[in-house]
Amino acid sequence: MTSDQAPEIDWALLRTRAVEMMERAYAPYSGYPVGAAALVDDGRLVGGCNVENAAYGVTLCAECGLVSDLVAGGGGRLVAFSCCDANGAQIMPCGRCRQLLWEHGGAALLVDTPAGVLPMTEVLPQAFGAEDLSTVGPRGAALEDDPA
Ligand code: THU
């Protein structure tokens, strides 16, 4: 792979990594371990597992760990993503995590769902993203209405 080419997606490898991540989960409260793995546009693999807390609401989803791994490891864009339950079966990312994935993969990110591989545009239709923030000025005025 050269730097201007998209890395090839090995879904079997991603699923294996997701299972490995799931096996490291800390999920004593729900008993529902989750593992996540993704391919980055520079060819690296990143991963994460859920990390629960006695204060239940503080729980970190597997995708939170994955995004942290992505950013701490040098950033980049997510190209392909898979997450699984304790049986190794693909699960849908929760709503909040779909937003996390949108931020770091955008419309082109491919997601391994129970219904097959889908683009993020189908996983999170009409997503809110960074470009929405730039459509209004600092006081909420639409930029095109700004006389300045
Ligand atoms: N969980 C994830 O890690 N990712 C998801 O997308 C769905 C839910 C975790 C959070 C919690 O530790 C457990 O699954 C049960 O909700």
Side-chain angles (χ1 to χ4, degrees):
M1 183 196 106
T2 58
S3 59
D4 60 348
Q5 279 181 322
E8 200 168 310
I9 302 168
D10 184 342
W11 289 106
L13 177 62
L14 276 184
R15 289 171 192 145
T16 298
R17 282 293 176 102
V19 169
E20 287 169 3
M21 290 290 113
M22 178 275 294
E23 288 168 347
R24 298 180 194 176
Y26 177 73
Y29 304 106
S30 71
Y32 190 88
V34 177
L39 174 67
V40 184
D41 60 355
D42 64 3
R44 28 205 245 283
L45 290 183
V46 291
C49 59
N50 53 337
V51 180
E52 297 186 345
N53 193 284
Y56 297 164
V58 185
T59 286
L60 302 174
C61 281
E63 294 88 337
C64 297
L66 179 142
V67 165
S68 183
D69 189 16
L70 171 74
V71 174
R77 299 293 287 169
L78 298 174
V79 171
F81 170 88
S82 185
C83 65
C84 71
D85 65 15
N87 297 321
Q90 275 59 62
I91 60 169
M92 291 303 291
C94 75
R96 178 182 181 279
C97 290
R98 294 180 200 197
Q99 187 69 31
L100 286 183
L101 294 173
W102 183 268
E103 180 81 16
H104 297 281
L109 172 61
L110 297 174
V111 180
D112 191 22
T113 83
V117 173
L118 297 175
M120 273 304 289
T121 46
E122 288 187 45
V123 172
L124 189 64
Q126 299 191 63
F128 181 87
E131 63 287 354
D132 292 296
L133 296 176
S134 61
T135 60
V136 292
R139 294 178 305 280
L143 286 180
E144 59 198 54
D145 297 339
D146 194 335

